[in-house]
Amino acid sequence: MNGEPLTILLVEDNLDHAELIARSFEDHRVANKLFHVTDGEAALDYLFRREDYADPEKSPTPHVILLDLRLPKIDGQEVLRQIKASNELKQVPVVVLTTSEAEKDVHSAYKNGANSYLAKPVDFDKFTQLMDDLGFYWLGWNHHPWT
Amino acid sequence: MNQNDAAQHNVKAPRRAFWSIRTKLAVGFSSAAVAVLLVVELVGMKGIPFTSFQGRQANEKDEAFRGLSLIADLKKERLTRWIEELNDDIHAYAENDMVRGNVAAVRAAAREVIPRNAADPQAWAKLRGHDSCKKLEQFLNTIRLTYESYEGLHISDAQTGMVIVSTDLDELGADDSKQQYFISSLTSQDSYMGDIQLGRRGKPTFYASHLIIDDKGKPAAVLVLEVLADDIIGAMLHTGEGLGKTGEALLVNQNLRILTSLKHRLGDGTTAKPLEYHITAKPALLAASGEEGIIEAKDYRGVTVLAAYRHIPIGSELGWGMVVKQDRAELFAPIRSDAVNAWSIAAVAIVLIILLSSFVARSLTRPLLELSSASERVSAGDLNARAQVATSDEVGRLAQTFNAMVEHIQGWHEQLEEQVRARTGELQAANKALTEEFAEHEHAEQERSKLIIKLEASNAELERFAYTVSHDLKSPLITIKGFLGVLGRDLEAGKTTRVQDNMARIGSAAEKMEQLLDELLELSRIGRLVNPPEDVPFGDLARGAVAMVSGRIEKSGATVEIAPELPTVHGDRPRLMEVMQNLVDNAAKYMGDQPNPTIKIGARENGDEITFYVRDNGVGIEPRYQQRIFGLFDKLDPKSDGSGIGLAIVKRIVEVHGGRIWVESEGAGHGSTFWLTLSPEKKGDN
């Protein structure tokens, strides 16, 4: 926390969930900047700076990506595969944050190169606690490959 | 032998090979006979090598040599005798008292009458008028006339060498002193026989001479005898038969000059002159050097001759060579014509032999060929074939054995075929039973695997369903609990600004849950057809669906075109109605900013399958999303209303009816066409 703007890319199609996540981060002042996209295609456009996100000002490379799995247009697993297949993006930590606790999803996420797999807790306190810890861990304790 | 083998044998047509037995026999016999004939002919002609039998050719040659030798010996004998006689004669003349007396008288008279070197005819006439001269002249003339062989005789004075008496008056007074015969006779008591030389008259002349002595035994005169070589000696050589057209006898002296005229012209066409032409042919050479014998060599013309050569001694020193020869070609002419005859006979014999051996070969091989063709027919499967050979020889016996063998084979074959027929029947029956059993078994197996596939599909779907439900039902639950928590905190902190928003979110999440639960119930019901299947005109379905979503269609301002004649399908009417309702609703919902929104419903028949379509010119679907849209709760637009279950339900209904559904779209903005296949009417339930 040295005052540098830390960036999170949130890929989440459920607007209510996105709102909950955003509020948790706001309350705990975890992130300086939260970018939110609602489908897999938009996420890839953002990361690879295509279409609406061609301007690097609008799409800074995030320090961590929070990725839902069930996404419209392009599935979250596919988004994960493409990030990890890219030489520039594969070093960005990707934290899968989804409702699914299915073993199948966990296995394929790690196989596709996920750095962490988190299931959204139904309980509100646990949810806010997770967001809190997540922020501290990935944006506080964790060292990033770039500053 | 089975039928296939027989067929193959038939294909190899029994074309007779070139080297058939018949050809071999004919060629073999002919060759052998011709070879024997040739050997006999050649041996007869040339003799057997390394044996005493030397053949007709050599015999003929020996014969020719014998003939030539005989002739040569005869001629030699005759010449020698003639010379001996001459020798004796001249001796007798010279010793004759009358001659001796008269010679002395003539000499004396001549010394008076004839001046030295005088050619006075009167003086000679005077001398001739002398009695003793007359007598001598008469004597000499008598001899000359008696022995026609003498050309002339004369007597020369021993002292002066002058011819004093002569049968030729022109010769009187001639000088003999330089002549060899004169010189030789003066010193010898014997007759002198000279070599043939050119005589006074320019002809080759043979001189014989003898000294005449006077009373006191001193040389008085020389008696000289002249013989024309060609006329007398040549005639002697050439008389007699046995030398054919080309044969001749010739004489050469020691210097190899020919002494008599030659029968033939020289190789270059000129005629050789006696005493001038120097002969170099080998027979003449050998004869001149004093040898005798026979030889086959080239003569003066270069023609090959057979020759016998003899040496003829003349006096004590001189000798002639005599060659008796005949052209080989002429000598061998009889053999050649013999050979021609022999070869003609041989040719005729060869033709006869070939014809004969062909005939023999044919008659020998005919039964064999018959046997062979019968065996070929049998081997090709015709067991009724028999060899028609009537001869009683070995071939005939072989044919009988063969026929008997075929008879046996035929018997066995028929027996075997009977057995095979019986076995085949049994096998066919067994096979049929087995096939039926297999078919039953296979049918059961198919049923089983169908069932397994169905169960597996159903299992997988259940799994997918459970997963989807847990995920999609959990999602609104998180929202509800989350915003309830937020609401609680806000209220605790006395913040009321977001209460409304929080409450609205909670409410809509609860509604979403309710909707999801309803739709899941609906989906679970689709698995089994609830209404009995019936024939449904597709036009009814299309019109019904359009009527049910007329609200949405009006809102989008779309025009709907339904094809006038649509086929009838077989299925669950309410469910199929649901499919069409969903598709038309979707088409109207995703029209975008299209100024002339149109929805078209129609069908296309491909063989036994009917394909229906619902086509719009709305937003379209990019190819990469075309598979996902049929998934449970999959939506392309998170903000659009609906749970994303509609197309999943559609797909499920179509699949339950045994059909397929897919979408075609060239991408965003190009509209989409949903295709679905359904069973045509009256095709039983599945």
Side-chain angles (χ1 to χ4, degrees):
Chain A
M1 299 279 173
N2 47 16
E4 278 176 47
L6 292 172
T7 318
I8 297 175
L9 176 66
L10 173 64
V11 189
E12 173 61 76
D13 66 327
N14 190 312
L15 300 178
D16 297 329
H17 289 195
E19 181 65 23
L20 280 174
I21 292 162
R23 283 193 196 177
S24 290
F25 283 160
E26 266 168 40
D27 292 349
H28 299 277
R29 303 192 178 173
V30 172
N32 301 61
K33 277 201 161 160
L34 180 77
F35 290 90
H36 175 213
V37 291
T38 57
D39 61 66
E41 196 176 48
L44 290 173
D45 285 351
Y46 177 98
L47 289 167
F48 290 98
R49 290 174 180 151
R50 297 179 299 221
E51 308 284 332
D52 296 345
Y53 303 95
D55 181 6
E57 287 292 313
K58 283 189 190 170
S59 54
T61 305
H63 288 85
V64 67
I65 299 167
L66 299 183
L67 181 67
D68 194 3
L69 287 183
R70 284 189 62 88
L71 292 170
K73 295 186 180 173
I74 295 175
D75 183 70
Q77 298 280 15
E78 177 59 26
V79 173
L80 182 55
R81 230 185 328 270
Q82 290 199 23
I83 291 170
K84 293 302 176 186
S86 154
N87 265 332
E88 292 153 32
L89 295 170
K90 66 178 169 197
Q91 46 195 332
V92 180
V94 178
V95 177
V96 174
L97 182 61
T98 180
T99 47
S100 167
E101 284 174 76
E103 238 175 81
K104 192 181 77 181
D105 284 339
V106 182
H107 279 288
S108 37
Y110 279 117
K111 220 172 267 174
N112 287 330
N115 300 80
S116 180
Y117 189 101
L118 304 170
K120 295 173 189 165
V122 176
D123 186 80
F124 176 65
D125 290 334
K126 283 183 183 166
F127 190 93
T128 48
Q129 182 66 48
L130 175 68
M131 288 303 121
D132 216 11
D133 294 346
L134 190 147
F136 269 110
Y137 183 87
W138 288 106
L139 300 173
W141 295 115
N142 195 42
H143 280 265
H144 302 287
W146 64 92
T147 50
Chain B
M1 171 165 298
N2 65 30
Q3 289 297 311
N4 275 347
D5 280 352
Q8 272 171 3
H9 272 271
N10 257 343
V11 172
K12 285 184 212 155
R15 215 175 69 94
R16 196 184 298 157
F18 176 73
W19 283 108
S20 60
I21 293 180
R22 193 165 127 191
T23 322
K24 280 178 193 160
L25 272 174
V27 171
F29 280 157
S30 304
S31 309
V34 168
V36 167
L37 205 64
L38 286 180
V39 166
V40 167
E41 258 328 296
L42 278 176
V43 163
M45 199 68 99
K46 302 278 184 190
I48 304 170
F50 315 117
T51 65
S52 57
F53 182 59
Q54 44 185 352
R56 227 180 316 153
Q57 220 165 10
N59 282 340
E60 199 72 22
K61 197 164 166 182
D62 283 353
E63 196 63 38
F65 274 131
R66 244 195 311 281
L68 287 170
S69 293
L70 203 65
I71 293 166
D73 286 340
L74 275 173
K75 288 193 191 299
K76 180 183 172 179
E77 173 92 22
R78 187 189 288 174
L79 256 179
T80 314
R81 192 169 301 157
W82 179 76
I83 290 168
E84 273 170 13
E85 274 173 16
L86 191 67
N87 191 43
D88 290 350
D89 285 355
I90 197 166
H91 188 80
Y93 303 147
E95 302 270 296
N96 188 298
D97 284 347
M98 185 278 285
V99 172
R100 286 168 66 177
N102 284 315
V103 163
V106 172
R107 285 185 74 201
R111 267 195 294 273
E112 285 174 23
V113 181
I114 309 299
R116 268 189 202 282
N117 297 329
D120 182 3
Q122 284 184 341
W124 286 107
K126 201 172 176 182
L127 185 63
R128 286 181 67 213
H130 209 279
D131 193 36
S132 55
C133 195
K134 273 184 185 164
K135 277 183 182 162
L136 275 180
E137 209 175 286
Q138 195 180 2
F139 177 69
L140 295 183
N141 275 324
T142 309
I143 296 170
R144 181 169 170 262
L145 290 171
T146 313
Y147 299 92
E148 285 175 348
S149 55
Y150 302 150
E151 177 65 17
L153 296 100
H154 67 265
I155 297 169
S156 309
D157 187 285
Q159 252 180 331
T160 60
M162 191 194 296
V163 176
I164 46 176
V165 183
S166 175
T167 50
D168 181 359
L169 298 181
D170 292 345
E171 212 178 17
L172 290 173
D175 183 13
D176 258 0
S177 62
K178 300 285 185 307
Q179 297 288 352
Q180 183 64 44
Y181 55 78
F182 182 80
I183 297 165
S184 295
S185 286
L186 281 182
T187 57
S188 169
Q189 297 298 313
D190 287 331
S191 311
Y192 169 77
M193 297 287 144
D195 207 352
I196 291 171
Q197 63 186 84
L198 218 53
R200 288 206 176 78
R201 293 165 197 82
K203 287 182 178 172
T205 311
F206 175 70
Y207 290 95
S209 59
H210 200 282
L211 184 66
I212 302 170
I213 50 171
D214 60 10
D215 300 341
K216 294 158 188 147
K218 287 190 177 164
V222 173
L223 172 66
V224 181
L225 232 153
E226 297 169 34
V227 178
L228 285 180
D230 268 350
D231 290 4
I232 307 305
I233 301 174
M236 256 193 289
L237 285 176
H238 294 144
T239 48
E241 294 289 313
L243 283 179
K245 272 186 211 160
T246 59
E248 73 173 310
L250 58 91
L251 271 184
V252 294
N253 64 15
Q254 281 165 332
N255 300 324
L256 286 168
R257 303 281 167 184
I258 53 166
L259 298 177
T260 52
S261 299
L262 297 176
K263 186 171 181 177
H264 305 286
R265 284 166 185 268
L266 296 175
D268 58 7
T270 56
T271 308
K273 279 188 178 163
L275 291 178
E276 279 177 25
Y277 180 65
H278 187 265
I279 197 163
T280 54
K282 197 157 181 210
L285 208 72
L286 289 166
S289 61
E291 293 184 43
E292 301 202 335
I294 50 171
I295 191 173
E296 178 173 356
K298 294 247 162 74
D299 73 350
Y300 56 85
R301 295 165 296 165
V303 176
T304 305
V305 297
L306 299 186
Y309 50 93
R310 296 289 182 268
H311 184 252
I312 297 167
I314 314 234
S316 53
E317 293 158 30
L318 287 173
W320 296 335
M322 183 184 69
V323 175
V324 177
K325 66 179 178 68
Q326 195 173 353
D327 289 6
R328 192 176 61 177
E330 190 188 15
L331 283 169
F332 285 177
I335 311 186
R336 193 165 305 143
S337 76
D338 270 7
V340 169
N341 286 340
W343 286 120
S344 316
I345 291 165
V348 171
I350 286 167
V351 169
L352 283 176
I353 286 164
I354 290 172
L355 286 176
L356 196 68
S357 44
S358 302
F359 174 75
V360 169
R362 179 190 283 265
S363 65
L364 272 178
T365 54
R366 194 187 294 124
L368 277 176
L369 282 177
E370 168 58 31
L371 190 56
S372 150
S373 101
S375 68
E376 271 162 9
R377 269 177 294 157
V378 169
S379 103
D382 177 12
L383 289 177
N384 292 317
R386 294 290 182 273
Q388 306 294 330
V389 177
T391 55
S392 55
D393 57 6
E394 291 88 336
V395 179
R397 282 210 302 283
L398 181 60
Q400 279 168 11
T401 315
F402 170 79
N403 286 343
M405 200 174 71
V406 174
E407 200 87 39
H408 278 302
I409 291 174
Q410 198 170 21
W412 290 335
H413 187 258
E414 276 161 12
Q415 211 176 322
L416 259 176
E417 274 200 337
E418 191 49 49
Q419 282 180 11
V420 166
R421 257 197 295 281
R423 290 281 161 81
T424 307
E426 285 167 29
L427 265 176
Q428 275 171 346
N431 200 25
K432 199 178 164 198
L434 257 178
T435 311
E436 280 167 5
E437 210 175 300
F438 266 130
E440 265 173 48
H441 191 75
E442 207 166 316
H443 184 69
E445 191 66 33
Q446 273 177 0
E447 286 294 305
R448 211 168 70 92
S449 45
K450 254 193 217 166
L451 211 64
I452 288 171
I453 289 167
K454 231 175 182 175
L455 274 172
E456 275 172 353
S458 147
N459 228 4
E461 198 177 304
L462 205 66
E463 216 170 89
R464 209 163 53 236
F465 183 75
Y467 165 75
T468 310
V469 164
S470 75
H471 178 273
D472 285 78
L473 284 180
K474 219 166 120 186
S475 204
L477 208 59
I478 290 168
T479 308
I480 291 167
K481 289 199 94 171
F483 280 98
L484 275 174
V486 169
L487 192 61
R489 283 194 188 174
D490 281 358
L491 289 175
E492 246 173 64
K495 289 191 229 167
T496 53
T497 46
R498 292 193 302 201
V499 168
Q500 211 68 39
D501 174 59
N502 292 341
M503 297 277 283
R505 282 181 195 269
I506 291 166
S508 77
E511 267 169 38
K512 180 85 172 215
M513 260 185 113
E514 191 189 357
Q515 188 193 354
L516 276 172
L517 287 170
D518 284 349
E519 281 173 348
L520 283 174
L521 196 62
E522 166 81 6
L523 196 64
S524 75
R525 274 202 295 258
I526 299 165
R528 42 189 202 283
L529 290 169
V530 283
N531 306 298
E534 55 185 310
D535 283 349
V536 190
F538 195 79
D540 291 0
L541 293 175
R543 280 184 291 275
V546 168
M548 281 163 96
V549 294
S550 55
R552 175 93 76 184
I553 292 171
E554 260 170 49
K555 210 168 117 193
S556 69
T559 322
V560 181
E561 291 171 17
I562 299 172
E565 280 184 30
L566 286 168
T568 299
V569 294
H570 191 74
D572 182 338
R573 180 189 280 266
R575 294 272 175 239
L576 292 177
M577 185 67 86
E578 205 174 330
V579 167
M580 285 312 288
Q581 189 187 328
N582 253 302
L583 293 178
V584 176
D585 186 50
N586 269 350
K589 199 197 290 183
Y590 299 107
M591 267 305 173
D593 323 325
Q594 178 57 246
N596 300 306
T598 313
I599 299 167
K600 288 181 182 171
I601 300 169
R604 190 182 291 170
E605 278 187 61
N606 303 345
D608 2 322
E609 199 178 60
I610 310 164
T611 315
F612 299 94
Y613 61 86
V614 178
R615 178 175 297 150
D616 66 64
N617 54 358
V619 292
I621 302 155
E622 283 188 40
R624 55 189 159 149
Y625 304 136
Q626 284 171 11
Q627 279 303 310
R628 283 198 67 193
I629 57 170
F630 295 103
L632 192 60
F633 305 121
D634 267 322
K635 291 192 294 183
L636 292 183
D637 181 4
K639 293 171 198 87
S640 77
D641 59 347
S643 58
I645 204 166
L647 284 175
I649 288 172
V650 164
K651 187 169 188 243
R652 184 124 176 78
I653 293 171
V654 171
E655 280 171 358
V656 161
H657 278 83
R660 289 170 292 126
I661 182 161
W662 67 100
V663 69
E664 280 175 11
S665 173
E666 286 174 26
H670 289 86
S672 359
T673 307
F674 281 83
W675 294 93
L676 64 152
T677 64
L678 288 172
S679 316
E681 56 186 318
K682 283 170 196 164
K683 195 190 170 197
D685 180 15
N686 56 7

